[in-house]
Amino acid sequence: MSEPTRLSWTDVRDQIRARILSRTYAPGDRLPRDEDIAQEFGCARTTVHRAMQDLAQMGLVERKRKGGTHVLSDPVTRATFDIPITRCEVEQRGAKYDYQLISRALEQTPTGVMARFGLHTPREMLRVKALHLADNRPYVFEDRWVDTQSTPEILDVDLTRENANEWLVHNKPFSRVDVRFSAMNATADNAHHLDTPEGSALFVIERTTWIGSAPITTVQSLAAPGYQLAANTG
Amino acid sequence: MSEPTRLSWTDVRDQIRARILSRTYAPGDRLPRDEDIAQEFGCARTTVHRAMQDLAQMGLVERKRKGGTHVLSDPVTRATFDIPITRCEVEQRGAKYDYQLISRALEQTPTGVMARFGLHTPREMLRVKALHLADNRPYVFEDRWVDTQSTPEILDVDLTRENANEWLVHNKPFSRVDVRFSAMNATADNAHHLDTPEGSALFVIERTTWIGSAPITTVQSLAAPGYQLAANTG
DNA sequence: AAGTGGTCTAGACCACCTT
DNA sequence: AGGTGGTCTAGACCACTTG
């Protein structure tokens, strides 16, 4: 007798997904209750729950207590990106990594930086500009602000030798992060550091972190032309 | 007696995360076995498992059978983005949405498009250029290729009235998607459609979909200057 | 008020990976 | 070979939210 192996939650997930793709469950439809699906597949309700949890996280269905499970009618594409330490990113491309400190100074935060942190009053922070190189070519130019109230230790770090990006990642855990992507034309200053014509289109990553509600750092990373960020597969 | 309420998996997750943030469990460290943690917290192993699953997905720890659970030593920032249907995006900003078809023609795929699909030989596809407007101002210019082998129905759609973006999302489910972000300078043609100076930095979203291994569509969306994409919070 | 998803438990077995 | 995470089950109770 060919007894079928027991269904796993991924099997259930894939079957349900197939039904959604084939419009057996069409956009907007309400799916059967977990318990009924469990009965149909001959598995425990927990297994169906695990499958549904995954589908909900992928953005395929929406689940509400009492409301049941519905196929989203205007599906969104959900993509996840990993933003590694710049050195790791460079080395993973098989390139030689180098780092140059460009400037380091205490400055009052301008309104743009205050907005990123959600602050209403200016504050003195450490501003650090630095360049990351891959195979001796400019790779990413970063303009960073570090809050010296939450992170006074940064003042003692020799940033000519140690990279603020890595020092923070290794020494300053954060509890909240905000990430934004955009594009901008290189200013004369940017262009100079990145060795690219003024006005070049640069890919911009803005990353701001907090510990609790206290600001830690915000950084605007400008990637040299040609930079492309790919979503995680899977 | 104040009997503490039973621990939920989110409580366990938050406690473990706090220990990681406070370096109780430092980067590279191996965490205790799930079962030991369960005993410490006085809960079932399943509950610890659920908590760990979440931490692993956040990119804070790595789990391996037999190898145990380790705190990642080079943590990555993981961010999730939702890319909605353009109309929804515009309407959610409280703006009026409009759409204009710019061109529609059968063309041989150039090498760039073949590469996005992973094809080795050129193929004739339907190329559709269109403009999305918010409050009568150009918002996103899209340059799309639709595979007429997998999606012949597209040839019968009146794209002057119906928007290829939405038609595909509602009628052509996909099983795999690739998303990439970059930046580029507006060409004369782009600049004209987006009503912006030539050379403006444009935010670029490339989105390619397949059903099984068959290509469906690939689209390069160029956002008007000022566009910014924010990661999901939470 | 009642229906539905969310979670917890305890135990069992499986599958992968390191040693 | 053995240790660890991964999953399944069956049952129970809880919590949200809709009618």
Side-chain angles (χ1 to χ4, degrees):
Chain A
M1 308 264 269
S2 66
E3 190 60 35
T5 56
R6 193 151 57 178
L7 282 183
S8 72
W9 68 268
T10 52
D11 296 328
V12 176
R13 178 199 60 191
D14 293 343
Q15 298 257 357
I16 301 287
R17 181 167 59 177
R19 290 180 189 177
I20 293 173
L21 296 186
S22 70
R23 298 284 189 274
T24 303
Y25 301 140
D29 280 4
R30 177 177 180 166
L31 271 60
R33 305 155 47 213
D34 287 6
E35 195 165 340
D36 292 341
I37 294 185
Q39 200 156 25
E40 179 197 339
F41 283 106
C43 66
R45 181 162 80 91
T46 326
T47 306
V48 174
H49 177 71
R50 182 71 184 81
M52 289 297 189
Q53 174 188 326
D54 210 45
L55 292 170
Q57 184 166 16
M58 297 169 45
L60 257 179
V61 302
E62 193 175 32
R63 283 161 76 74
K64 275 192 211 141
R65 289 161 142 134
K66 164 84 180 186
T69 305
H70 286 263
V71 181
L72 288 196
S73 42
D74 283 320
V76 296
T77 297
R78 188 161 292 171
T80 302
F81 295 81
D82 281 344
I83 302 170
I85 296 173
T86 309
R87 182 176 52 74
C88 297
E89 192 178 338
V90 168
E91 288 170 350
Q92 201 151 23
R93 295 182 171 219
K96 181 166 71 77
Y97 174 76
D98 281 296
Y99 159 82
Q100 286 173 8
L101 177 66
I102 292 170
S103 69
R104 193 207 100 114
L106 286 166
E107 294 184 32
Q108 291 291 321
T109 53
T111 54
V113 170
M114 286 163 55
R116 286 192 235 158
F117 281 128
L119 294 174
H120 297 294
T121 52
R123 188 182 288 195
E124 193 176 75
M125 295 195 184
L126 186 69
R127 183 178 192 178
V128 179
K129 295 187 189 179
L131 189 65
H132 302 268
L133 300 101
D135 282 340
N136 301 314
R137 298 180 55 99
Y139 185 72
V140 166
F141 170 76
E142 67 169 60
D143 185 357
R144 177 185 299 273
W145 297 76
V146 184
D147 181 31
T148 52
Q149 292 180 25
S150 69
T151 316
E153 316 91 295
I154 190 72
L155 297 169
D156 300 323
V157 178
D158 178 4
L159 293 173
T160 58
R161 308 193 52 190
E162 205 162 359
N163 159 340
N165 177 357
E166 283 178 62
W167 186 88
L168 284 159
V169 165
H170 288 138
N171 296 283
K172 210 61 193 176
F174 55 85
S175 56
R176 185 158 70 91
V177 59
D178 180 73
V179 177
R180 290 162 191 277
F181 296 144
S182 57
M184 66 174 269
N185 291 102
T187 64
D189 186 54
N190 299 333
H192 169 249
H193 292 306
L194 287 170
D195 191 24
T196 188
E198 182 172 348
S200 297
L202 304 180
F203 186 76
V204 183
I205 303 178
E206 268 184 25
R207 188 171 168 287
T208 307
T209 57
W210 295 262
I211 180 79
S213 61
I216 297 177
T217 188
T218 186
V219 60
Q220 188 183 53
S221 296
L222 309 179
Y227 188 89
Q228 195 182 51
L229 198 62
N232 288 348
T233 57
Chain B
M1 309 262 266
S2 67
E3 190 60 35
T5 56
R6 191 151 57 178
L7 281 183
S8 71
W9 68 267
T10 53
D11 297 327
V12 176
R13 178 198 60 191
D14 293 343
Q15 298 258 359
I16 301 287
R17 181 167 57 178
R19 291 181 188 179
I20 292 173
L21 295 187
S22 69
R23 299 284 190 272
T24 303
Y25 300 142
D29 279 6
R30 177 178 181 164
L31 271 62
R33 306 154 49 211
D34 288 6
E35 194 164 341
D36 292 341
I37 295 185
Q39 199 157 24
E40 179 197 340
F41 284 106
C43 66
R45 182 162 79 92
T46 325
T47 306
V48 174
H49 178 71
R50 181 71 184 81
M52 289 297 188
Q53 175 189 325
D54 210 45
L55 292 170
Q57 184 166 18
M58 297 169 48
L60 258 180
V61 302
E62 193 175 33
R63 282 160 74 75
K64 274 191 210 141
R65 291 163 140 127
K66 165 82 182 190
T69 304
H70 286 263
V71 182
L72 288 196
S73 40
D74 283 319
V76 296
T77 297
R78 188 162 292 175
T80 302
F81 295 81
D82 280 345
I83 302 170
I85 296 174
T86 310
R87 181 176 51 74
C88 298
E89 192 179 336
V90 168
E91 288 171 351
Q92 201 152 19
R93 294 183 171 216
K96 180 165 72 74
Y97 174 76
D98 282 297
Y99 159 83
Q100 285 173 7
L101 176 66
I102 292 170
S103 69
R104 193 207 98 116
L106 286 167
E107 293 184 32
Q108 290 291 321
T109 52
T111 55
V113 171
M114 287 162 54
R116 285 191 234 159
F117 281 129
L119 294 174
H120 296 293
T121 52
R123 189 183 287 195
E124 192 177 74
M125 294 193 183
L126 187 69
R127 182 178 193 178
V128 180
K129 294 187 189 180
L131 190 65
H132 302 268
L133 299 102
D135 283 340
N136 300 315
R137 297 180 55 99
Y139 185 72
V140 166
F141 170 73
E142 68 170 58
D143 184 355
R144 180 185 295 274
W145 296 77
V146 184
D147 181 30
T148 51
Q149 291 180 26
S150 70
T151 317
E153 317 91 294
I154 190 72
L155 297 169
D156 300 324
V157 177
D158 178 4
L159 293 173
T160 59
R161 309 193 51 191
E162 204 162 0
N163 161 338
N165 179 356
E166 283 180 63
W167 186 88
L168 284 160
V169 165
H170 289 138
N171 296 282
K172 209 62 192 178
F174 55 85
S175 56
R176 185 159 70 92
V177 60
D178 180 75
V179 178
R180 289 160 192 277
F181 297 145
S182 57
M184 64 174 268
N185 292 102
T187 64
D189 186 53
N190 299 332
H192 170 249
H193 293 306
L194 287 171
D195 192 22
T196 189
E198 183 171 348
S200 297
L202 304 179
F203 186 76
V204 182
I205 303 177
E206 267 184 26
R207 190 172 165 285
T208 307
T209 57
W210 295 261
I211 179 79
S213 61
I216 298 177
T217 189
T218 186
V219 60
Q220 188 183 54
S221 295
L222 309 179
Y227 188 90
Q228 195 182 51
L229 198 62
N232 290 346
T233 56

